[in-house]
């Protein structure tokens, strides 16, 4: 049974059909890509999966649980992790502190007044988990730097690390290569493959960079004007004539 199973998701906005009966599944430990041209409905679909939007029709099942009407925070507790297209990091905080805050949130043991008064330091177990994640992502050497001092590529890895600290079963990545150069994109893809191998975390990736998708995702879904036009193994989908016309802009 699939870890994530979205069936016939439909969403309308003021008479416009943003999604028209879109279905998608992700198995445990699998890397799946969702691609399509601008305005295809990718972000709307992502938001329906996350609970930011509620679909007009259709169902979302996660780990054999119907989550269609669950709020976002409850989906996170079930095992959703995510990163954002626009990097969401906190200026003035170190890389390590970003991970420790995520760990404290996962455990739900922190006390805001103690944190504000600097009376609630991280425990040994919290530090150990943060150090392990820093090492996994190759961030140990910059662990004590403020995030604004990092390159964009490493900033993206901090976002991934923060999401991993919540121990997600499924990691949703929203255009993680946005703003990165080719070398940074290649390094990010390699690190994410290492994370998958080490953690067995399933990944659903929304991405525009074709090479990133080609090297990372084992299966692809392609949206165009809110409709699913192709799905299947990555190489087959990228070679499909309909996909090449709609997404790559090629004449075939």
């Amino acid at each position: 049974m699939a870890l994530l199973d979205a069936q016939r998701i439909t969403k309308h906005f003021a008479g416009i059909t943003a999604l028209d009966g879109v279905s998608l599944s992700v198995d445990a430990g699998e890397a799946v890509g969702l691609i399509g041209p601008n305005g295809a409905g990718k972000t709307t679909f992502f938001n329906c999966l996350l609970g930011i939007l509620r679909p007009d029709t259709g169902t979302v099942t996660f780990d054999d649980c119907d989550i269609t009407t669950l709020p976002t925070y409850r989906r996170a507790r079930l095992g959703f992790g995510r990163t954002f297209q626009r990097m969401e990091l906190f200026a003035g905080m170190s890389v390590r502190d970003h991970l420790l805050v995520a760990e404290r949130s996962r455990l739900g043991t922190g006390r805001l007044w103690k944190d504000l008064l600097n009376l609630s330091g991280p425990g040994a177990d919290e530090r150990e988990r943060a150090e392990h994640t820093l090492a996994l992502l190759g961030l140990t050497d910059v662990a004590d730097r403020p995030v604004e001092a990092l390159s964009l590529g490493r900033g993206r890895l901090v976002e991934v690390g923060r999401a991993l600290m919540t121990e997600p079963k499924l990691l949703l990545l929203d255009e993680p290569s946005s703003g990165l150069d080719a070398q940074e994109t290649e390094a990010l893809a390699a690190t994410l493959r290492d994370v998958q191998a080490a953690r067995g975390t399933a990944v659903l990736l929304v991405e525009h960079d074709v090479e990133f998708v080609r090297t990372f995702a084992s299966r692809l879904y392609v949206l165009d004007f809110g409709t699913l036009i192709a799905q299947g193994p990555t190489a087959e989908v990228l070679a499909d004539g309909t996909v090449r016309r709609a997404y790559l802009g090629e004449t075939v």
Side-chain angles (χ1 to χ4, degrees), residues 44-64:
T44 299
F45 186 74
F46 229 47
N47 287 340
C48 287
L49 296 180
L50 289 162
I52 297 170
L53 294 174
R54 182 173 295 183
D56 297 323
T57 62
T59 59
V60 181
T61 303
F62 183 70
D63 205 12
D64 204 25

Side-chain angles (χ1 to χ4, degrees), residues 3-224:
L3 175 65
L4 173 72
D5 188 21
Q7 287 295 317
R8 301 196 62 77
I9 302 299
T10 298
K11 185 66 182 176
H12 300 92
F13 295 103
I16 297 173
T17 301
L19 296 170
D20 188 8
V22 178
S23 298
L24 175 151
S25 67
V26 182
D27 291 338
E30 187 180 25
V32 174
L34 176 64
I35 66 173
N38 290 332
K42 303 184 299 298
T43 297
T44 299
F45 186 74
F46 229 47
N47 287 340
C48 287
L49 296 180
L50 289 162
I52 297 170
L53 294 174
R54 182 173 295 183
D56 297 323
T57 62
T59 59
V60 181
T61 303
F62 183 70
D63 205 12
D64 204 25
C65 175
D66 188 339
I67 64 169
T68 309
T69 61
L70 286 186
T72 301
Y73 76 92
R74 291 189 61 186
R75 299 182 197 216
R77 291 177 180 174
L78 288 174
F80 273 63
R82 73 160 298 177
T83 66
F84 298 85
Q85 180 178 356
R86 180 180 177 183
M87 202 157 56
E88 300 284 348
L89 297 175
F90 303 109
M93 285 180 58
S94 71
V95 173
R96 179 181 283 107
D97 285 344
H98 273 78
L99 304 194
L100 289 171
V101 166
E103 171 69 358
R104 186 64 58 88
S105 175
R106 179 185 74 87
L107 295 173
T109 57
R111 293 293 182 268
L112 179 59
W113 68 271
K114 287 186 177 182
D115 289 336
L116 290 174
L117 295 174
N118 201 28
L119 297 175
S120 181
D125 288 346
E126 292 173 304
R127 286 190 175 277
E128 183 179 353
R129 291 195 69 251
E131 294 304 320
H132 178 75
T133 301
L134 289 167
L136 179 64
L137 296 173
L139 294 172
T140 302
D141 62 324
V142 295
D144 295 314
R145 291 186 189 176
V147 290
E148 60 266 34
L150 301 182
S151 67
L152 183 57
R154 284 196 149 182
R156 293 286 185 194
L157 288 178
V158 175
E159 279 202 314
V160 172
R162 184 173 58 187
L164 289 175
M165 291 297 289
T166 66
E167 296 187 349
K169 298 175 183 176
L170 174 66
L171 186 58
L172 295 100
L173 304 178
D174 190 357
E175 298 196 21
S177 75
S178 179
L180 304 187
D181 62 28
Q183 185 175 358
E184 289 174 321
T185 298
E186 184 178 348
L188 176 61
T191 301
L192 289 173
R193 285 193 294 270
D194 290 343
V195 168
Q196 268 209 300
R199 297 279 185 96
T201 307
V203 176
L204 177 59
L205 170 77
V206 170
E207 183 55 70
H208 276 100
D209 190 296
V210 175
E211 286 307 310
F212 191 123
V213 170
R214 192 191 309 275
T215 60
F216 183 71
S218 59
R219 288 194 301 120
L220 286 184
Y221 291 84
V222 186
L223 283 175
D224 191 27

